[in-house]
Amino acid sequence: MTKPHSEDKSGQAKRQAIPYGRQNITEEDIRVVTEALKSDYLTQGPRIASFERKFADYTGSDYAVAVSNGTAALHLSTMALGVKPGDKVITSPITFAASANCIRYCGGEVVFADIDPETLLLDVNEVRKLLEASPKGTYQGVVPVDFAGRACDLESFRQLAKEFDLWLIEDACHAPGGWFTDSTGAVQNCGNGNFADLAIFSFHPVKHIAAGEGGMITTNNEALYRKLLQLRTHGIIKDNERYVNSEAFATGEPDSETYPGWYMEMQELGFNYRLTDFQAVLGESQLGRAESGLIRRREIAQNYLDAFAGKAFIKGQSGVVQGHAYHLYVIEVADRLGLYNHLRSQSIFAQIHYIPCHLMPYYRQFGWKEGDLEHAENYYRHCISLPMFPTLTDDEQNFVISCISAYFEKTEK
Ligand SMILES: *Cc1c(COP(=O)(O)O)cnc(C)c1O
């Protein structure tokens, strides 16, 4: 798998920069996109339904709705679930801001609950504490996030949802192909709709499946599915059975008993959140390689784990977790800034995921402050995401590992 390196004057191999994540576009991807561009459909056409069907099958859900990006998927989800001003919704502070912002788009209030410092996921016990501290009906929903690719225990969240009458949106952007085992021993795929009302995915280039931009919502709820289709296209429907206005109005002829071909109705306030056909074929082509990508991600995780096993400078290494989709490989170190800068000097672009959402200036205006969420804030001071993507070569990974080990061996003497 090793790429040949050109040598510079000192005889040292010159390396390409190594990012923390990178998309992989194959000749086959290019071929299918080119073919789609030559077809009659540029925006939403027949390839959307095909991608949706395949994605639903991949996750094991009944329905899938393709949209323009993961943020649009979150926004349509909060709309479809009827979030309104004053609604309180709980999510994790260790996530991309969109997981929380989608609640604000509908005027709801975001309540952050702390993470479990072991799993780095929204702590179901912290959520329970919040729910039990207020009268039932105070909170309307929870957005658990499969952070880094590790599947949330959605069975426990569903139990809470039942007790407290909540809806659940699973933010599975990091976890296509991830899974957890429920209390009966059954494997539950991320986004399969068995526990969450809706699950959302992103096809941003740094995620597992790249479509330029793109997103997907999966569900087993037919009513929500129909609503999402409608909201994706301005709230417009084209369905003779469901029109509000009369046939006479529609045709302009008082005796009409049928609707004319042009007729459609905007029944709700929706958006244009459509995916294009050429993005859908790219997504579908990438989906075909999702399993091999996952296998490679787990291999890379195992390599890091083996390399750092027993090293005192790494705090958080939870081992290779079953069902983890490894969007990110995160370690926690004491001297995070030093390591980040050292890696940059070697053209290794590690990244930080995430600056806690509740301490973003936007959320501070609602009263969130340092000290509110101890585990999330402590994690943020130490975390760093190492290069993790299927086309990372063994040679590149070994270089990353040796740079990290060398840095700590030097600074710890
Ligand atoms: C990427 C991401 C999103 C947003 O997806 P976009 O396609 O970039 O809009 C939302 N939540 C999480 C956890 C993400 O990683």
Side-chain angles (χ1 to χ4, degrees):
M1 295 198 67
T2 309
K3 272 193 207 151
H5 296 124
S6 57
E7 307 235 321
D8 68 14
K9 285 195 206 91
S10 65
Q12 281 221 312
K14 258 207 300 201
R15 269 169 206 286
Q16 288 190 332
I18 307 176
Y20 83 91
R22 176 157 58 198
Q23 76 268 26
N24 176 27
I25 300 293
T26 63
E27 286 304 318
E28 173 63 6
D29 291 342
I30 293 167
R31 192 187 66 73
V32 295
V33 171
T34 309
E35 210 168 83
L37 288 172
K38 291 177 187 162
S39 81
D40 286 343
Y41 294 91
L42 278 188
T43 185
Q44 196 167 286
R47 292 168 184 88
I48 298 291
S50 166
F51 184 32
E52 288 173 339
R53 191 63 260 144
K54 291 218 165 70
F55 199 85
D57 290 346
Y58 184 65
T59 55
S61 65
D62 291 343
Y63 307 100
V65 178
V67 292
S68 46
N69 56 65
T71 306
L74 282 161
H75 186 194
L76 288 193
S77 296
T78 50
M79 280 184 79
L81 290 163
V83 175
K84 55 187 189 310
D87 281 5
K88 282 182 158 93
V89 178
I90 301 169
T91 192
S92 171
I94 299 299
T95 185
F96 183 61
S99 316
N101 296 349
C102 64
I103 300 153
R104 297 291 308 136
Y105 296 156
C106 294
E109 184 185 329
V110 183
V111 179
F112 296 99
D114 213 349
I115 58 165
D116 173 334
E118 281 299 309
T119 64
L120 310 176
L121 304 176
L122 179 64
D123 187 338
V124 72
N125 298 315
E126 292 296 318
V127 175
R128 177 176 284 282
K129 272 191 225 160
L130 275 175
L131 294 169
E132 286 178 348
S134 303
K136 205 170 147 179
T138 302
Y139 295 91
Q140 279 68 43
V142 184
V143 185
V145 181
D146 299 319
F147 172 69
R150 186 169 182 156
C152 292
D153 173 7
L154 287 180
E155 189 182 21
S156 303
F157 280 103
R158 175 46 66 191
Q159 182 55 41
L160 278 187
K162 270 189 201 140
E163 276 177 60
F164 292 90
D165 211 2
L166 310 163
W167 51 254
L168 297 177
I169 299 173
E170 176 187 10
D171 183 337
C173 283
H174 294 184
W179 50 266
F180 73 100
T181 322
D182 72 13
S183 58
T184 70
V187 166
Q188 299 288 347
N189 291 334
C190 292
N192 72 2
N194 286 349
F195 299 107
D197 298 279
L198 299 168
I200 71 103
F201 296 86
S202 162
F203 307 128
H204 179 278
V206 89
K207 312 290 163 79
H208 290 216
I209 296 159
E213 298 281 356
M216 194 74 84
I217 309 167
T218 58
T219 185
N220 292 347
N221 180 319
E222 190 184 347
L224 285 175
Y225 168 66
R226 305 234 162 266
K227 194 157 193 138
L228 291 166
L229 291 180
Q230 190 173 342
L231 291 171
R232 171 175 75 181
T233 304
H234 310 279
I236 289 173
I237 61 160
K238 201 159 170 57
D239 180 351
N240 285 357
E241 305 299 311
R242 291 160 65 204
Y243 293 141
V244 172
N245 288 329
S246 67
E247 292 88 337
F249 164 76
T251 54
E253 305 281 345
D255 298 331
S256 284
E257 286 178 0
T258 54
Y259 291 96
W262 69 74
Y263 196 68
M264 49 86 172
E265 278 184 359
M266 193 202 99
Q267 295 188 339
E268 275 188 85
L269 189 61
F271 292 86
N272 173 358
Y273 279 163
R274 291 185 298 263
L275 189 70
T276 65
D277 246 34
F278 55 94
Q279 288 172 304
V281 287
L282 179 54
E284 191 175 320
S285 180
Q286 296 245 325
L287 181 60
R289 296 198 303 278
E291 273 310 302
S292 59
L294 266 180
I295 291 168
R296 178 65 187 143
R297 285 174 185 274
R298 288 178 179 142
E299 208 171 84
I300 291 168
Q302 186 69 55
N303 292 343
Y304 280 132
L305 187 77
D306 293 345
F308 300 133
K311 302 262 179 170
F313 56 81
I314 310 257
K315 280 203 319 178
Q317 250 211 161
S318 45
V320 170
V321 179
Q322 286 261 16
H324 200 308
Y326 287 105
H327 167 58
L328 302 174
Y329 192 88
V330 181
I331 58 171
E332 290 169 71
V333 296
D335 180 14
R336 190 264 309 273
L337 179 62
L339 178 62
Y340 175 83
N341 286 331
H342 174 68
L343 291 177
R344 279 184 83 90
S345 75
Q346 304 294 313
S347 295
I348 298 168
F349 296 92
Q351 192 45 285
I352 306 308
H353 300 95
Y354 287 98
I355 301 164
C357 260
H358 68 292
L359 298 178
M360 287 291 173
Y362 175 79
Y363 284 103
R364 282 183 193 253
Q365 71 175 306
F366 302 103
W368 293 98
K369 57 188 188 314
E370 272 144 285
D372 283 346
L373 299 169
E374 181 196 339
H375 294 308
E377 292 169 33
N378 186 50
Y379 163 78
Y380 168 62
R381 282 190 286 274
H382 301 292
C383 67
I384 183 163
S385 307
L386 304 182
M388 167 56 87
F389 50 91
T391 54
L392 183 72
T393 65
D394 290 342
D395 178 59
E396 286 172 322
Q397 188 180 14
N398 289 336
F399 179 62
V400 172
I401 290 167
S402 67
C403 286
I404 295 170
S405 299
Y407 178 74
F408 285 109
E409 274 152 28
K410 197 168 67 199
T411 57
E412 276 170 12
K413 265 176 201 158

